[in-house]
């Protein structure tokens, strides 16, 4: 037995045996183009990529985690950067990536906030592949030119622009009425209107006194006023369908993470020309999230080698740039040359140079259970105009304390 084990380590795995089954939720045009760059790179290194694209983040996470727990793990699966893999680590179901990370100098080249999010007890359990900004206005430049107004940089300006855009026959805000999109929009208002101090007191410190304060109340009032900016077809709409409304000029603005940029790129549009991107209230900071891949504990040299090759290439500068140019995000590695990337990426990278401007998304700050409870409260308020601000504040406060 010892001899067989020695042989399996000494010689590389045959190319035809190196298969990687990868679960992710990237199904839109821009997303599919992005993940294909990793698939092509894995194939170029002798592997066979078995794509398991599952529509919807929640669906993909549920199916992937159930397979891991059930003893039938994929080679790798996508999760959001943050706390989503805590329980898998605690149950010893994920591969420790320290040897791969050390060989690739991950810790030397990652922003500290991202390295911290990818490690547990000092060890890497996830390969972070990108940084997504989550508080962007994406807008159709021609729509604003025709309406004779400037694109907004604050929520006050967006609300003020609403009438002129309506008069021009355009839906002011393209919103996908799904709960995660409503939470993303609310969190952007929380930072942009409430300010950095309020954002951290609420999401990081779970300070219910701040939730009952004037600054948070103003956040809720602004968020509620934005119902007048959306169309009746919003409920249930996918985010990329909302992006398409901006691309074709039916709507003026979308509040979305910069993965939306991949749709503009796929449509052949150029930033600062046919479409624009403004970070909302940039003085308050840049909400950053992103994606990671985790690698379940698997059996067999072939699967372990496939994981090593996959994790290694995902964290190399060349594949990082190729992936993020398609995805609309920015590379997570600080040693990557981004001078050739577009103007939106340049705006994001400029803000990231200042660590004070790096605002972690709620996925970094609250557990999935609390995040889900907050999301339920937000979507209840958004879809019930008769709910008062006071009622929502109580609901949100209860959700924030639901994990205690």
């Amino acid at each position: 037995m010892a001899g067989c084990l020695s042989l399996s380590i000494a010689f590389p795995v045959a190319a035809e045996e190196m298969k990687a089954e990868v679960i992710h939720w990237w199904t839109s045009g821009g997303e599919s183009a992005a993940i294909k760059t990793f698939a092509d790179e894995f194939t170029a290194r002798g592997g066979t990529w078995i794509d398991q694209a599952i529509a919807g983040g929640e669906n993909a996470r549920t199916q992937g985690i159930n397979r891991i727990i059930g003893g039938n793990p994929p080679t790798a699966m996508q999760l959001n950067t943050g706390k989503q893999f805590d329980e898998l680590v605690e149950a010893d179901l994920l591969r420790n990536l320290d040897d791969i990370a050390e060989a690739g100098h991950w810790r030397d080249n990652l922003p500290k906030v991202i390295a911290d999010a990818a490690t547990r007890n000092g060890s890497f359990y996830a390969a972070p592949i990108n940084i997504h900004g989550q508080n962007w206005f994406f807008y159709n430049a021609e729509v604003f030119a025709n309406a004779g107004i400037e694109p907004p940089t604050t929520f006050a300006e967006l609300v003020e622009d609403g009438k002129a855009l309506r008069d021009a026959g355009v839906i002011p805000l393209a919103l996908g009425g799904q709960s995660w999109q409503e939470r993303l929009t609310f969190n952007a208002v929380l930072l942009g209107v409430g300010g950095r101090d309020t954002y951290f007191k609420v999401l990081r410190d779970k300070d219910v006194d701040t939730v009952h304060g004037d600054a948070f109340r103003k956040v809720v009032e602004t968020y509620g006023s934005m119902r007048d900016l959306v169309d009746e077809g919003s409920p249930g709409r996918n985010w990329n369908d909302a992006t398409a409304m901006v691309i074709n000029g039916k709507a003026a603005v979308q509040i979305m993470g910069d993965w939306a940029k991949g749709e503009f790129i796929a449509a052949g549009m150029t930033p600062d020309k046919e479409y624009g991107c403004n970070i909302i209230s940039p003085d308050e900071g840049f909400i950053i999230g992103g994606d990671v891949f985790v690698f379940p504990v698997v059996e067999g040299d072939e699967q372990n080698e496939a994981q090593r090759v996959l994790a290694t290439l995902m964290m190399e500068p060349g594949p990082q740039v190729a992936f993020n140019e398609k995805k609309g995000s920015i590379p997570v590695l600080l040693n990557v040359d981004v001078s050739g990337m577009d103007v939106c990426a340049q705006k994001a990278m400029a803000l990231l140079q200042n660590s004070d401007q790096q605002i972690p998304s709620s996925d970094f700050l609250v557990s999935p259970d609390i995040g889900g409870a907050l999301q339920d409260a937000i979507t209840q308020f958004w879809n019930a105009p008769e709910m008062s601000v006071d009622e929502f504040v109580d609901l949100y406060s209860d959700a924030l304390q639901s994990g205690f």
Side-chain angles (χ1 to χ4, degrees):
M1 179 64 73
C4 295
L5 180 62
S6 175
L7 285 174
S8 69
I9 294 172
F11 295 95
V13 174
E16 62 272 19
E17 298 173 340
M18 193 172 69
K19 297 179 180 178
E21 183 188 11
V22 183
I23 290 180
H24 62 89
W25 58 82
W26 288 323
T27 57
S28 75
E31 292 172 334
S32 297
I35 190 65
K36 186 174 182 299
T37 65
F38 282 150
D40 289 347
E41 187 66 28
F42 185 70
T43 301
R45 301 186 187 200
T48 299
W49 178 281
I50 302 172
D51 198 75
Q52 292 289 352
I54 299 171
E58 290 185 9
N59 291 336
R61 284 191 292 272
T62 299
Q63 291 190 37
I65 290 171
N66 283 344
R67 282 189 52 181
I68 294 171
I69 294 173
N72 180 30
T75 311
M77 72 168 289
Q78 176 196 358
L79 292 171
N80 292 123
T81 309
K83 296 180 178 293
Q84 291 178 353
F85 55 93
D86 281 2
E87 293 181 0
L88 293 176
V89 173
E90 291 169 2
D92 294 326
L93 292 173
L94 293 186
R95 175 174 177 170
N96 183 312
L97 301 175
D98 280 347
D99 55 337
I100 303 171
E102 185 175 357
H105 306 287
W106 293 7
R107 199 176 294 278
D108 297 335
N109 297 312
L110 287 172
K112 184 177 184 304
V113 65
I114 298 295
D116 289 347
T119 54
R120 298 293 182 272
N121 300 317
S123 291
F124 279 95
Y125 284 94
I129 57 169
N130 62 357
I131 292 176
H132 270 305
Q134 298 187 358
N135 53 332
W136 289 93
F137 284 138
F138 287 98
Y139 61 88
N140 185 305
E142 185 178 16
V143 163
F144 277 92
N146 290 341
I149 55 178
E150 292 294 320
T153 59
T154 67
F155 284 104
E157 292 174 359
L158 174 64
V159 172
E160 187 177 333
D161 288 348
K163 183 179 184 308
L165 292 166
R166 288 280 191 198
D167 290 345
V170 176
I171 299 165
L173 178 62
L175 176 70
Q178 296 173 342
S179 57
W180 71 267
Q181 297 184 66
E182 292 157 358
R183 178 175 67 144
L184 182 144
T185 301
F186 181 84
N187 287 344
V189 180
L190 179 59
L191 178 66
V193 174
R196 192 180 312 175
D197 186 52
T198 298
Y199 182 93
F200 279 119
K201 282 186 176 178
V202 171
L203 291 176
R204 181 189 62 197
D205 302 337
K206 320 292 188 296
D207 183 353
V208 295
D209 289 339
T210 299
V211 175
H212 288 273
D214 291 341
F216 189 82
R217 187 178 189 85
K218 186 178 179 183
V219 169
V220 179
E221 290 171 346
T222 301
Y223 183 65
S225 72
M226 291 165 56
R227 296 190 190 100
D228 295 336
L229 303 177
V230 306
D231 65 305
E232 293 180 352
S234 172
R237 178 183 290 142
N238 292 322
W239 70 268
N240 51 312
D241 293 330
T243 309
M245 293 170 64
V246 178
I247 289 173
N248 63 30
K250 185 177 180 180
V253 172
Q254 182 184 23
I255 300 165
M256 188 46 60
D258 49 19
W259 51 87
K261 198 175 62 176
E263 303 304 297
F264 289 98
I265 294 170
M269 300 175 75
T270 305
D272 261 5
K273 190 176 179 183
E274 292 93 0
Y275 78 98
C277 50
N278 287 334
I279 297 170
I280 306 168
S281 303
D283 291 344
E284 298 298 338
F286 188 43
I287 300 177
I288 61 173
D291 302 286
V292 300
F293 276 92
V294 295
F295 300 84
V297 173
V298 291
E299 295 182 357
D301 293 341
E302 296 88 354
Q303 274 295 287
N304 279 287
E305 177 64 2
Q307 289 182 334
R308 186 195 66 77
V309 172
L310 199 53
T312 298
L313 74 88
M314 284 179 169
M315 294 296 288
E316 290 179 351
Q320 280 255 325
V321 171
F323 170 84
N324 284 287
E325 282 183 333
K326 297 289 187 183
K327 187 64 169 60
S329 46
I330 57 176
V332 74
L333 297 171
L334 295 175
N335 62 332
V336 169
D337 180 6
V338 297
S339 60
M341 297 187 75
D342 63 50
V343 65
C344 302
Q346 300 297 336
K347 288 181 181 179
M349 289 301 292
L351 273 183
L352 286 177
Q353 300 310 309
N354 181 351
S355 60
D356 291 339
Q357 297 278 39
Q358 300 170 9
I359 308 296
S361 74
S362 60
D363 288 332
F364 288 52
L365 300 173
V366 300
S367 69
D369 287 344
I370 293 178
L374 294 175
Q375 182 167 288
D376 289 345
I378 291 165
T379 200
Q380 283 185 52
F381 176 68
W382 178 262
N383 291 288
E386 69 277 9
M387 183 184 291
S388 71
V389 171
D390 288 333
E391 288 172 327
F392 173 68
V393 165
D394 289 340
L395 192 63
Y396 191 96
S397 179
D398 290 344
L400 199 61
Q401 299 176 86
S402 61
F404 298 155

